[in-house]
């Protein structure tokens, strides 16, 4: 569940497009100016669909595609996150850090939670 509704995000974006000023709009809606920037960029690149909640899991190949895009076009993490419809630039930063430390294997999804208990054999 997203913290902010699609309608709220759209209202923030429209206010920014109408009168500008990241910090002013952020103060008006009591959110961070980085959040306003992310929503405006996502809206510019993807329209209203860019404000929809995003899937949580990404494949290692998708993560690699994002990192290659950043290297090839020399774009910021904010722009890459918006371009690929990723909710937070910090997610891309984490992928970059993992890749630099452990290569493509570090980008593989890891199982969540506790391992399942196996039945004991007699």
């Amino acid at each position: 569940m997203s913290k902010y509704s699609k309608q709220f995000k759209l209202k923030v974006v429209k206010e920014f497009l109408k009168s500008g000023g990241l910090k002013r709009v952020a103060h008006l809606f009591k959110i961070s100016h980085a959040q306003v920037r992310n929503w405006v960029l996502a809206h510019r690149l993807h329209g209203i669909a860019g404000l929809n909640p995003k899937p949580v899991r990404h494949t290692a190949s998708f993560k690699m595609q994002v990192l290659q895009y950043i290297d090839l076009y020399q774009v910021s993490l904010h722009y890459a996150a918006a371009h690929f419809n990723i909710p937070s630039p910090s997610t891309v930063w984490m992928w970059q850090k993992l890749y630099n430390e452990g290569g493509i294997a570090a980008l593989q999804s890891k199982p969540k939670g506790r391992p399942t208990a196996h039945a004991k054999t007699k």
Side-chain angles (χ1 to χ4, degrees):
M1 183 81 193
S2 179
K3 183 174 179 178
Y4 301 104
S5 70
K6 182 177 170 181
Q7 292 80 16
F8 177 76
K9 293 175 186 179
L10 188 57
K11 187 176 178 181
V12 171
V13 169
K14 284 183 177 181
E15 177 63 31
F16 175 80
L17 294 176
K18 182 176 78 174
S19 57
L22 285 174
K23 290 185 179 182
R24 187 193 65 75
V25 173
H27 186 264
L28 179 68
F29 290 99
K30 296 178 178 45
I31 56 176
S32 74
H33 69 278
Q35 192 68 68
V36 175
R37 178 181 50 220
N38 292 343
W39 293 342
V40 169
L41 194 51
H43 184 267
R44 283 183 179 158
L45 292 171
H46 303 286
I48 294 175
L51 302 177
N52 290 334
K54 316 301 183 291
V56 178
R57 294 215 173 214
H58 299 286
T59 64
S61 61
F62 175 78
K63 295 172 186 177
M64 198 63 219
Q65 181 183 359
V66 173
L67 296 177
Q68 288 170 344
Y69 181 85
I70 292 169
D71 286 340
L72 182 64
Y73 295 104
Q74 296 297 305
V75 296
S76 69
L77 297 178
H78 287 279
Y79 185 85
H83 180 77
F84 287 96
N85 227 0
I86 299 167
S88 174
S90 64
T91 301
V92 179
W93 175 80
M94 184 55 71
W95 296 345
Q96 205 171 42
K97 182 180 173 190
L98 288 170
Y99 179 75
N100 290 341
E101 291 173 356
I104 187 85
L107 297 177
Q108 297 291 334
S109 294
K110 296 172 182 55
K112 303 269 186 207
R114 296 176 64 169
T116 57
H118 296 290
K120 294 182 181 180
T121 57
K122 291 183 179 181

